[in-house]
Amino acid sequence: MSVLPLVFTSGWASGINAYAVVLLFGVFGATGLTDEVPESLQRTDVLVVAGVLFLCEAVADKIPYVDSAWDAVHTVIRPVSGAVVGALLAGQNGSLPELAAGAVGGSTALLSHFVKAGTRMAVNSSPEPFSNVALSLAEDLGVAAVITFALFHPVAAAIIAAVLLALGLVILVFLARRIHRFLRRRSQRREERRLADAMPRARSRPPSDGGPEHF
């Protein structure tokens, strides 16, 4: 069977939580639950690093505004991770060229990342923190469930991932106003911090009499 459905699903999941994808694939491969996982993802050092970074994301992803900063940093990391995982899966299976698999995994990860980041911006336009925690938990559980399902039913999981990606893009359009509000608030906060930093420097300057000195 072609590895394309699994590559697509892993790309979608990588755009939401790339470290969870690497960790899940590595654990499933190392424990012998599947032979679809390349050995490079099963290495102990890879699993340790992925586990530590997953814990960091699990914390950062549940704090308002910190989650959006984390998403901004991962705008490159998640698509690259999706591309690398896709290429490794293709190399393990041999039914799809690695370059094509990397393109599918990377582009899918980029789209799902935009959905995740945009949704978080919309949620952060509300002052309460509980929605961040609930949304983060739902994303973590969703990634774990879909990736586990994909290893045993790749085509069905790919259909689920495609539907979720399409729904996310549609929801993103409806949340555009909230996203704009979040960006405006963030810009205002940056301007307030800039002014707050500038005021002590202005106060520390010596007063000027406005005219030339006479001796």
Side-chain angles (χ1 to χ4, degrees):
M1 181 180 292
S2 173
V3 75
L4 181 59
L6 186 58
V7 169
F8 179 86
T9 305
S10 66
W12 168 82
S14 294
I16 299 173
N17 194 326
Y19 306 124
V21 173
V22 174
L23 183 62
L24 287 169
F25 274 143
V27 169
F28 289 147
T31 55
L33 292 177
T34 178
D35 57 358
E36 294 288 338
V37 180
E39 294 184 0
S40 56
L41 294 179
Q42 304 177 35
R43 290 169 40 182
T44 302
D45 56 341
V46 173
L47 292 176
V48 170
V49 172
V52 171
L53 291 174
F54 170 75
L55 292 176
C56 292
E57 175 146 345
V59 175
D61 209 36
K62 296 173 177 59
I63 304 173
Y65 290 95
V66 174
D67 58 352
S68 291
W70 184 270
D71 287 337
V73 173
H74 285 73
T75 301
V76 175
I77 297 175
R78 287 170 183 157
V80 169
S81 178
V84 171
V85 171
L88 291 174
L89 291 172
Q92 174 79 3
N93 182 276
S95 63
L96 182 70
E98 296 180 24
L99 184 60
V104 172
S107 58
T108 307
L110 182 62
L111 287 175
S112 62
H113 165 75
F114 283 147
V115 171
K116 173 188 172 72
T119 304
R120 287 310 179 86
M121 289 181 186
V123 171
N124 283 334
S125 65
S126 175
E128 50 82 23
F130 304 106
S131 53
N132 295 74
V133 176
L135 186 58
S136 178
L137 288 174
E139 290 170 350
D140 293 342
L141 293 174
V143 166
V146 172
I147 287 295
T148 302
F149 186 61
L151 289 173
F152 303 100
H153 305 282
V155 176
I159 294 174
I160 293 173
V163 171
L164 291 175
L165 180 60
L167 286 175
L169 291 172
V170 171
I171 292 173
L172 203 60
V173 174
F174 285 99
L175 294 177
R177 183 174 298 178
R178 284 199 170 192
I179 294 172
H180 177 71
R181 188 186 308 163
F182 167 83
L183 294 174
R184 185 176 58 191
R185 286 183 179 179
R186 188 172 64 176
S187 177
Q188 290 174 349
R189 289 189 177 189
R190 287 178 178 174
E191 182 65 18
E192 289 172 358
R193 284 197 298 266
R194 188 187 68 81
L195 292 176
D197 292 339
M199 288 181 65
R201 290 196 297 266
R203 292 174 180 174
S204 63
R205 293 174 184 170
S208 175
D209 57 5
E213 295 186 357
H214 300 279
F215 295 96

